[in-house]
């Protein structure tokens, strides 16, 4: 069964450093998403991406964050200058973009655990 | 999107059916009900979704009341591996780009 994959599974970085989290969405999916979950808290939406541009972003997704689809298979989240509060699990998701609207089921990857020291 | 209310936790004996309720009294006609679960800190796993009719797949059944103000996710024969946080999410037509995850129900399946 096709699945979303994410690398690395764990990332430790120093405050102020840049990190890039990578995702390979399900092949032929057209919509891509990033969510995050701070330890013990809810899963929060960060950004959605379609047709090579951001379609929606939350207030969390500030200028420190960027997303990119550098090639036909990868979808990346970059944090330019990490802060302690960026420590969280980051989940990538994708959806097919066929059913449209509220029927779009999102499939999530296993996550990257980011720890900022 | 409509708000959902779920009990914070439930227990279920292994092998028995787990019935997880969700209240979504402000749901509107074009909003779907989705269920996901999260085991430990793994990525949320899609279970099932529906609009009006009851739905069943290999994982679970979804029963939606006729007025659509509440629903129940049924795991017919719960196993220890079904211990997880279960999220009921109502998703709107005009805000479909994201899922809003609430606090969910922590289901504890006990031997």
């Amino acid at each position: 069964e096709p699945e979303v994959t994410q690398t690395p599974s764990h990332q430790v970085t120093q405050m102020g450093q840049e990190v890039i989290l990578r995702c390979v969405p399900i092949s032929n999916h057209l919509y891509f998403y990033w969510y995050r979950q701070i330890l013990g808290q809810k899963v929060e939406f960060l950004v959605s991406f379609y047709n090579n541009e951001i379609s929606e972003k939350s207030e969390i997704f500030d200028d420190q964050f960027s997303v990119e689809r550098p090639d036909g298979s990868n979808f990346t989240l970059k944090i330019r200058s990490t802060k302690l509060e960026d420590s969280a699990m980051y989940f990538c998701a994708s959806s097919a973009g066929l059913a449209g609207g509220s029927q779009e089921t999102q499939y999530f990857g296993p996550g990257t655990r980011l720890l900022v020291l | 999107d409509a708000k959902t209310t779920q009990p914070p936790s439930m227990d279920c004996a292994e092998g028995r059916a787990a019935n997880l309720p969700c209240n979504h009294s402000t749901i509107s006609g074009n909003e779907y009900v989705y269920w996901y679960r999260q085991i430990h800190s793994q990525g949320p796993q899609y279970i099932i979704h529906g609009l009006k009719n009851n739905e069943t797949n290999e994982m679970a059944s979804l029963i939606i009341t006729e007025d659509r103000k509440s629903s129940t996710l049924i795991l017919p024969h719960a196993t220890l591996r079904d211990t997880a946080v279960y999220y009921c999410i109502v998703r709107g037509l005009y805000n479909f780009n994201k899922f809003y995850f609430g606090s969910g129900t922590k289901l504890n399946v006990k031997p």
Side-chain angles (χ1 to χ4, degrees), chain B residues 15-73:
Chain B
R16 304 297 294 269
N19 297 282
L20 292 97
C22 179
N23 188 300
H24 32 79
S25 57
T26 59
I27 195 169
S28 60
N30 55 21
E31 291 182 317
Y32 281 76
V33 179
Y34 276 79
W35 283 83
Y36 279 77
R37 73 181 182 183
Q38 189 175 27
I39 299 172
H40 297 302
S41 294
Q42 297 176 22
Q45 179 188 22
Y46 167 75
I47 301 173
I48 200 166
H49 74 283
L51 182 64
K52 288 188 229 183
N53 300 322
N54 298 337
E55 302 288 343
T56 295
N57 63 21
E58 64 280 359
M59 285 183 72
S61 294
L62 173 60
I63 308 298
I64 303 174
T65 58
E66 196 168 335
D67 63 9
R68 302 210 323 125
K69 293 186 176 183
S70 65
S71 59
T72 301
L73 178 75

Side-chain angles (χ1 to χ4, degrees), chain A residues 3 7 22-23 35 38 41-42 47 55 75 79 81 84-85 95 101:
Chain A
E3 57 184 21
T7 54
R22 291 183 167 79
C23 168
Y35 291 76
I38 296 171
Q41 297 187 23
K42 299 174 185 177
V47 66
S55 45
F75 179 52
I79 309 175
S81 177
L84 296 177
E85 53 266 36
S95 64

Side-chain angles (χ1 to χ4, degrees), chain A residues 33 35 37 103-104 106, chain B residues 32 34 36 38 91 97 99:
Chain A
Y33 314 84
Y35 291 76
Q37 186 175 31
Q103 287 195 72
E104 283 296 326
Q106 295 182 17
Chain B
Y32 281 76
Y34 276 79
Y36 279 77
Q38 189 175 27
R91 190 163 179 225
N97 268 316
F99 281 115

Side-chain angles (χ1 to χ4, degrees), chain A residues 30-100:
Chain A
L30 301 177
Y31 288 84
F32 315 111
Y33 314 84
W34 283 101
Y35 291 76
R36 79 169 186 191
Q37 186 175 31
I38 296 171
L39 186 65
Q41 297 187 23
K42 299 174 185 177
V43 177
E44 301 174 287
F45 169 79
L46 290 178
V47 66
S48 60
F49 190 85
Y50 171 70
N51 201 25
N52 280 319
E53 59 183 30
I54 290 173
S55 45
E56 189 169 353
K57 60 183 181 180
S58 72
E59 60 277 6
I60 303 169
F61 194 88
D62 60 22
D63 292 343
Q64 294 285 75
F65 292 90
S66 62
V67 288
E68 190 180 29
R69 187 153 163 82
D71 53 46
S73 58
N74 289 285
F75 179 52
T76 62
L77 174 69
K78 182 193 291 186
I79 309 175
R80 266 180 265 283
S81 177
T82 51
K83 306 192 253 304
L84 296 177
E85 53 266 36
D86 293 328
S87 295
M89 281 289 285
Y90 288 82
F91 297 110
C92 173
S94 69
S95 64
L98 297 175

